[in-house]
Structures are given as structure tokens and as C-alpha cells.
Amino acid sequence: MEFCGVSFMRDLTNLQKTAALHEARWWEPEANGKVHCYLCPRHCHIGEGQAGFCFIRANQGGRLYSLGYAHPAALQIDPVEKKPLNHFLPGTRVFSMGTAGCNMGCFFCQNWDISKSRADQVRSSHVPPEDVVALAIDNGCPSIAFTYNEPTIWGEYVIDICRVAREYGLKTVMVSNGYITREAFHDVYDHIDAANIDLKAFTESFYGRITLTHLQPVLDTLQWLKNETNVWFEITNLMIPGLNDAPSETRALVDWVLEHLGPDVPLHFTAFHPDFKLRDRAATPPETLHAARAIALEAGLHYVYEGNIYSDGGNTSCPSCKTLLIRRSWHDVRKNSLKNGCCPNCGLPIPGRWASTGAHTAGMRIAKDRVGAGERHGDLNL
Ligand code: SF4
């Protein structure tokens, strides 16, 4: 699949604020000057002067270039609970960034202004990996999240940021739709500390009609994460009235998680609000999330959350003695009673990554190296 034309490539090239385009990974040349991108399961075959489905991987002169490299369209500081991650450095700030473009075509996209807009290239700045890490440390963030749009499609930039982040003791987070090929999976996730993967539904018809992709590759990614990495990961299921909220579908999704990933993977049921091409649907009623959470807990999942609403379903409790461990209000942590990652009442270890190390010392080291990063990039949201 390929999109756009020669003028598109010329425009984007002009909008890059560096002297040279960054050559991509995960591609091979084809006949007639085309290239095959195998970073995600779309497997775009891209003609000269054209871009793939995601907008930000383009063929120039028979080579594939990453137009998102070092060109974020959004830089912000969020609570880590907003990703959502409830078992990863709770109560901390995460330096969050995204570029233009996406490899899915979700009608309900809640970040469509950057994921579907080539124009966001105009608002991007040139921010090399070292400056991303310096900005994160300057702003007191022990971790960096690749989020807002799909970070898989700018995997080259993700990897280079991770290399610098690890050097300075910062953690890294993928907030992803899980749509990545086997060939690229370890190249990216071997550098990552935590992930939230959207499992947008549990039917192929939803994935095909509403996201323009397929379900099975996402399930494959979840199993690779579980069986082949040490990445801490949680799952989000955005519930859309009438499209993916049937109790039978929720039960099937939960049963799959239990069988293939186990009971300790946190599952977040979150509320949809009308957006992008799905403005004719009502927002998800809280009762839908309550019912889904009850199904998952009854089936045997240990950590099930409700998101995008005010609810006690955002709290973490011990699955053994039911002691309240972490009390949250929306994305705020109001109380954290964990003791060394364990329940203070019965001592049960609670799965997750609870402590951060290194960022303070790293901050002092990097400050000497990268003085001025904050001044160069000004307001974070570009
Ligand atoms: S990453 Fe982009 S260009 Fe590559 S296969 Fe996926 S959608 Fe196509």
C-alpha cells in the first residue's frame, strides 16, 4: 500500500529541519525503485517519492527514510498513570512524546490531530535523542514514554533515545497498538522497560472495519512480550458502545489473557468519548466499565482497572487479603501503602516495577553534558 505523491515527499523533505533525512531500518529494495517496509504488518510497498500508510516513512531515490526521526510533534509531561500504567513507578512524572502519523486507521482515534495529520510536521522541532533525555531529566522525570501516536513507526528514534536514556538511568515506555512485525519486535522491545498495549477489541471484524488492521498480530505481540522479554506490560481495552462492549466479547478477551498471559497482567477498561470519525456514538457509560471489570475479576484476573472515569476501579488492592494498596483519583496517586513491592498486611508480592534508581545522579551528569537543552526547545508542547 502506498500513499501520496512526489509533491508530498518534496514538502516533507523541505519541512525537515536537518540537513539530511534519516535513513530507516527494516526495509528492502524492490524492482522499479520501490521499497518494501516490513516494520509493521502492513508491509507497505512504497514507490519513489511516496510514503507508506503511516505518512512518516518515505521512499526517496529507492531508499526508505524515517521522517519522524528527531521530529516530535508533541513533548509533554504526564503522570505515568495516564499512559495508563498502574504498576510502574506509581506517582511519578513521565516525559511523553509523539510524532505525526500512525499505522492504524482507527475511526475513534483520540489523538487524530497528530496521528492523521501530515501538517504536524510543520509544528515539529528538531530534537535529537540526547536532548530528549536531557529534557526529561531537567523536568524531573525518571522515565520517557513514546506515546500519543504509534511509536513503532518511528522505531529508529525510539531505539536511539532508549540507548541514551539507559546510560543515564532513565526508564522507557512504549504506549503502542502492538502492530509490529516479528522481524522488528526484538530490535525495539529489547531496549524498553515497560509498555501499555492497546487490545482494542477481541473480534477480527472490529479490527478490520474500525481500525483497518487485524487482531492476530496484536495477540502475537502480547505473547512475545510475555514469553520473550522482561518488559513490564499492561493492557488497555477502550470500550465503545455497541462496537466492542458485549459481555461475551469481554469474557472471551479475558479468557484469552488468562490462558496466554496469566492472571497478573493488569487490564484497563477505559471509557470512549466521541471523536474523529465516531462522533455519533455516546460516551461509554460507567456501568459498562463496572460490568467489564466484574467479569474480569470473576474470571480470575488479579488487577483490573477502570479508566477515563472517576471510580474506585482505579485503585489497586491485594488479590489475596483485599487490602487497599494504592488509592487513586483519576491519574493522581492519593495513597501508596506498598512495602517494598509487597502487601503490608499479608506480604504478598505485587507484580510491577515499583522503584526508580539513577535519575538524580544521572541528572547531575547530563546537566554538565547538555547545558541549554531546555532553552533550545522552549515550551515542551512545541
Ligand atoms: S511502518 Fe508505516 S510504511 Fe512501514 S509497513 Fe507500517 S504503515 Fe507501512
Side-chain angles (χ1 to χ4, degrees), residues 34 133 168 200 225 284 330 355:
K34 284 192 167 189
V133 175
Y168 288 98
K200 295 171 187 281
L225 280 167
T284 311
W330 203 268

Side-chain angles (χ1 to χ4, degrees), residues 1 25-26 36-46 51-58 64 102-104 152-154 179 181:
M1 185 176 290
R25 292 175 67 174
W26 310 294
H36 166 211
C37 177
Y38 53 87
L39 172 53
C40 94
R42 285 198 175 277
H43 287 281
C44 293
H45 299 271
I46 307 167
F53 180 94
C54 61
F55 294 148
I56 64 163
R57 303 176 72 79
L64 188 66
C102 189
N103 59 350
M104 285 195 173
T152 296
I153 64 174
W154 38 287
Y179 215 55
T181 57

Side-chain angles (χ1 to χ4, degrees), residues 101-268:
C102 189
N103 59 350
M104 285 195 173
C106 303
F107 292 178
F108 53 89
C109 184
Q110 312 212 329
N111 283 333
W112 61 272
D113 54 333
I114 63 170
S115 70
K116 297 299 165 200
S117 176
R118 287 160 27 194
D120 272 270
Q121 286 284 335
V122 177
R123 296 204 302 273
S124 73
S125 289
H126 176 61
V127 187
E130 296 80 4
D131 282 10
V132 172
V133 175
L135 286 167
I137 293 173
D138 280 353
N139 286 282
C141 300
S143 63
I144 298 170
F146 312 116
T147 179
Y148 303 135
N149 74 327
E150 175 49 46
T152 296
I153 64 174
W154 38 287
E156 298 89 351
Y157 189 27
V158 165
I159 290 170
D160 285 354
I161 293 168
C162 288
R163 286 194 172 115
V164 182
R166 191 156 285 182
E167 187 183 336
Y168 288 98
L170 269 65
K171 305 294 186 193
T172 51
V173 175
M174 286 282 279
V175 180
S176 174
N177 59 29
Y179 215 55
I180 186 169
T181 57
R182 178 75 190 161
E183 289 85 349
F185 174 79
H186 279 287
D187 292 342
V188 174
Y189 281 92
D190 285 358
H191 296 273
I192 296 293
D193 295 295
N196 187 294
I197 304 294
D198 278 337
L199 183 50
K200 295 171 187 281
F202 204 65
T203 63
E204 175 59 22
S205 70
F206 179 99
Y207 265 88
R209 286 186 303 115
I210 310 294
T211 76
L212 312 182
T213 56
H214 301 285
L215 169 62
Q216 188 58 48
V218 182
L219 301 181
D220 291 343
T221 294
L222 287 167
Q223 290 181 94
W224 299 335
L225 280 167
K226 171 70 179 176
N227 298 325
E228 301 177 19
T229 76
N230 290 318
V231 175
W232 174 256
F233 68 99
E234 307 184 16
I235 298 172
T236 295
N237 178 223
L238 180 79
M239 306 200 81
I240 305 174
L243 291 179
N244 65 356
D245 63 343
S248 58
E249 183 174 341
T250 299
R251 182 63 202 232
L253 184 154
V254 166
D255 286 346
W256 185 91
V257 171
L258 272 169
E259 181 181 348
H260 295 88
L261 308 177
D264 285 337
V265 176
L267 175 60
H268 301 252

